[in-house]
């Protein structure tokens, strides 16, 4: 399972994501793709997101059952604590 959430990204990235994933809400994409496709999707995100921001999460064999990565500026910042990936809020 793969989930991608976008904010303020260009329409061409949204269209590219819709090729591989289902857009269930505006800017929210889900699908069941291979690792190879997930990595290709992330490459498209990094090339096309411009000033927007994106988070991508996928199911994996970790303590929490998932992993994620982010691109662009956002108030939420990924941090690692004792092997767990958590999210910290940046001060305004």
């Amino acid at each position: 399972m793969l989930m991608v959430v976008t904010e303020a990204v260009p329409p061409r990235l949204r269209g590219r994501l819709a090729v591989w994933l289902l857009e269930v809400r505006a800017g929210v994409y889900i699908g069941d793709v291979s690792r190879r496709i997930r990595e290709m999707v992330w490459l498209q995100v990094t090339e096309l997101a411009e000033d927007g921001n994106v988070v991508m999460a996928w199911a994996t064999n970790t303590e929490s059952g998932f992993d994620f990565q982010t691109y662009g500026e956002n108030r939420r910042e990924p941090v690692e604590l004792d092997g767990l990936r958590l999210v910290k809020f940046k001060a305004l």
Side-chain angles (χ1 to χ4, degrees), residues 44-55:
Q44 296 293 310
V45 165
T46 61
E47 290 177 354
L48 301 175
E50 295 179 3
D51 294 331
N53 67 77
V54 180
V55 61

Side-chain angles (χ1 to χ4, degrees), residues 24-85:
V24 295
R25 291 279 191 266
V28 179
Y29 302 83
I30 59 171
D32 189 15
V33 298
S34 68
R35 178 180 178 176
R36 181 172 156 257
I37 298 301
R38 183 184 79 224
E39 291 170 352
M40 185 276 307
V41 166
W42 188 249
L43 181 62
Q44 296 293 310
V45 165
T46 61
E47 290 177 354
L48 301 175
E50 295 179 3
D51 294 331
N53 67 77
V54 180
V55 61
M56 183 167 76
W58 61 93
T60 190
N61 190 19
T62 62
E63 189 70 27
S64 61
F66 65 92
D67 201 359
F68 67 97
Q69 57 191 18
T70 63
Y71 178 87
E73 289 294 317
N74 192 291
R75 231 181 119 206
R76 292 166 180 86
E77 180 178 283
V79 294
E80 189 165 326
L81 180 65
D82 294 332
L84 288 176
R85 303 266 328 251

